[in-house]
Amino acid sequence: QVQLVESGGGLVQAGGSLKLSCVAIGNIGSINGMGWYRQIPGQQRELVATMRGDDRNYGDSVKDRFAVSRDNADNTMFLQMNNLKPDDTAVYYCNAEVYSKDWAFTNAWGRGIQVTVSS
């Protein structure tokens, strides 16, 4: 059993910041690649940011505003979101390549968390 749980979303004014967290729960051995995705109402789910080791990549719409990081000791991933815009309003999903302690693999997804940015 492996699951990801997001937290830290909510309502913020344009120009403000939020920090999302994603905790991997279960018989966790290690997490390889991880990422954040979002789904804007009426649109397909899209890439926000990925991280593999120290290699970070960002979607064009969030480049220079968002930053992804992780704490391996706590099996936690983060998404720092700065200078938020109304267009960032979406459900944000955590994704991770998770290996259990017996090396079973799960491409895990969180249930998603709402971020709403007001004008």
Side-chain angles (χ1 to χ4, degrees):
Q1 174 72 23
V2 175
Q3 65 180 119
L4 306 180
V5 181
E6 301 102 336
S7 62
L11 175 66
V12 66
Q13 292 183 340
S17 299
L18 286 173
K19 187 175 183 179
L20 304 183
S21 298
C22 173
V23 179
I25 300 172
N27 186 27
I28 307 300
S30 66
I31 299 174
N32 193 190
M34 58 80 61
W36 291 90
Y37 298 76
R38 71 185 184 186
Q39 189 163 12
I40 296 170
Q43 300 185 18
Q44 296 267 86
R45 190 175 299 185
E46 66 182 36
L47 169 70
V48 176
T50 61
M51 185 173 183
R52 189 179 298 273
D54 291 328
D55 187 17
R56 296 169 170 85
N57 293 282
Y58 297 93
D60 289 341
S61 63
V62 306
K63 185 179 180 181
D64 299 323
R65 297 189 297 119
F66 291 10
V68 65
S69 61
R70 64 196 293 180
D71 183 343
N72 289 333
D74 294 330
N75 295 320
T76 304
M77 298 147 276
F78 305 97
L79 182 68
Q80 178 67 50
M81 304 183 293
N82 298 319
N83 192 24
L84 284 160
K85 303 176 180 180
D87 287 348
D88 294 319
T89 295
V91 177
Y92 285 73
Y93 297 88
C94 180
N95 172 251
E97 299 171 340
V98 181
Y99 293 87
S100 68
K101 291 181 179 179
D102 61 357
W103 299 106
F105 176 77
T106 302
N107 183 24
W109 289 89
R111 293 183 180 272
I113 188 165
Q114 179 70 44
V115 171
T116 301
V117 184
S118 63
S119 300

